[in-house]
Amino acid sequence: MSIVIENVGKTFIDPKKNEVTALENINFSINEEEFVVLVGPSGCGKSTLLNIVGGLLSPTSGSVYFEGITEKNPNLGIVFQEIALFPWRTVFQNVIYGLEEKGLPKKKQIEIGNYYIDMVGLSDFKDAYPKQLSGGMKQRAGIARALAVEPDLLLMDEPFSALDAQTRTLMQEELLTIWNRTKLNTLYVTHNIQEAVYLADRVIVLSRHPGKIKRIISIDLPKTGRNDEEYREKSSRYADEIWQLIRHDAEEALKE
């Protein structure tokens, strides 16, 4: 199965009634078991594009479709920066929420919920409420909730940006561990170039508005161990290549 983004464009009407083009002529695909990362300067339309792929926004032009899937509505798992766990539900109850909505039998909900809670390392906290969790633990609960519906596509919009640097590094490592177990088609948005290089199979670099694809960069590194000494120089070269593509647009965005 692959997800095809074909000639996608998006325009909005701003508060002054002007038409603003957020995205223009976006074309790429997410292949089977591929982790694709979107990067670009502020205001380039990364989150808008992710929301279009996730069906939360309609494109003004173009289309998004799933090849090789028979269901009319593909199964999606979404993790946002603000996880928005239900505060009145425990970790377990949050994780199985999507399964309840799908009407799965209670026994199956318990089985699947416990499986993904264990996968993200929260088995000892499954009866805890969100207010009792650290930021990283809340993110892990949100990831487990997204995984529990066993999605055809996992969408992640800057899920670690609100975390401190140490927790963010640990969460990146945990995410790769989880991904290597699930091999889900994934579209991930980040401002962080090093994070993009660390996680991605391919990095899609977007330009400042209107967002267009500047370049698609394949990351020719093993999926795990990219922080090891033997790969650091090559990782740094990828990060520098991406930064040189973004730098001017980022400076212009800062002026605004």
Side-chain angles (χ1 to χ4, degrees), residues 7-248:
N7 300 322
V8 163
K10 182 65 178 177
T11 59
F12 294 99
I13 303 299
D14 71 12
K16 296 180 180 179
K17 307 300 181 183
N18 297 316
E19 186 174 89
V20 177
T21 302
L23 295 168
E24 188 173 283
N25 196 33
I26 302 294
N27 289 278
F28 68 95
S29 61
I30 304 165
N31 300 315
E32 186 76 22
E33 299 184 359
E34 187 177 32
F35 199 120
V36 174
V37 176
L38 296 173
V39 298
S42 296
C44 71
K46 299 185 296 295
S47 293
T48 299
L49 180 54
L50 181 133
N51 286 330
I52 289 172
V53 174
L56 302 177
L57 283 176
S58 297
T60 306
S61 60
S63 60
V64 176
Y65 56 92
F66 288 65
E67 286 188 335
I69 186 170
T70 55
E71 295 86 352
K72 184 176 181 181
N73 295 313
N75 216 7
L76 302 176
I78 305 178
V79 182
F80 294 108
Q81 178 181 340
E82 298 295 332
I83 289 299
L85 298 173
F86 298 117
W88 59 90
R89 296 176 72 114
T90 64
V91 167
F92 178 81
Q93 291 166 341
N94 268 286
V95 169
I96 66 167
Y97 176 76
L99 306 178
E100 292 175 342
E101 292 296 298
K102 290 171 69 175
L104 264 66
K106 194 67 178 178
K107 184 177 179 181
K108 195 68 176 175
Q109 292 178 29
I110 293 170
E111 177 187 331
I112 295 172
N114 284 331
Y115 176 78
Y116 286 104
I117 287 170
D118 178 68
M119 182 180 288
V120 300
L122 288 177
S123 293
D124 291 340
F125 296 91
K126 69 178 184 178
D127 296 321
Y129 289 89
K131 66 181 180 181
Q132 298 171 300
L133 305 177
S134 68
M137 293 165 75
K138 289 176 184 176
Q139 291 289 358
R140 282 190 271 162
I143 291 170
R145 181 175 62 185
L147 295 176
V149 299
E150 299 181 340
D152 300 302
L153 175 64
L154 178 63
L155 299 161
M156 307 186 82
D157 191 358
E158 302 206 55
F160 307 145
S161 61
L163 303 177
D164 64 81
Q166 292 177 355
T167 304
R168 183 172 189 151
T169 298
L170 291 172
M171 289 302 300
Q172 291 168 4
E173 293 173 356
E174 288 193 25
L175 177 59
L176 273 190
T177 298
I178 292 166
W179 188 89
N180 277 311
R181 291 177 65 178
T182 61
K183 297 293 175 68
L184 290 175
N185 309 310
T186 302
L187 182 62
Y188 189 102
V189 166
T190 184
H191 277 90
N192 189 299
I193 293 171
Q194 285 72 29
E195 181 172 78
V197 173
Y198 181 71
L199 295 173
D201 293 308
R202 286 188 297 153
V203 176
I204 297 177
V205 183
L206 296 180
S207 68
R208 186 166 165 264
H209 62 80
K212 302 176 184 178
I213 295 178
K214 272 197 165 185
R215 192 173 301 172
I216 299 177
I217 299 171
S218 296
I219 306 297
D220 184 20
L221 290 167
K223 197 65 180 174
T224 57
R226 291 183 181 182
N227 280 340
D228 293 350
E229 184 66 35
E230 61 184 304
Y231 302 119
R232 284 181 189 169
E233 184 179 347
K234 193 170 184 179
S235 293
S236 294
R237 289 201 300 269
Y238 280 124
D240 185 63
E241 179 182 1
I242 295 167
W243 173 236
Q244 295 309 318
L245 289 167
I246 292 174
R247 181 169 185 161
H248 176 73

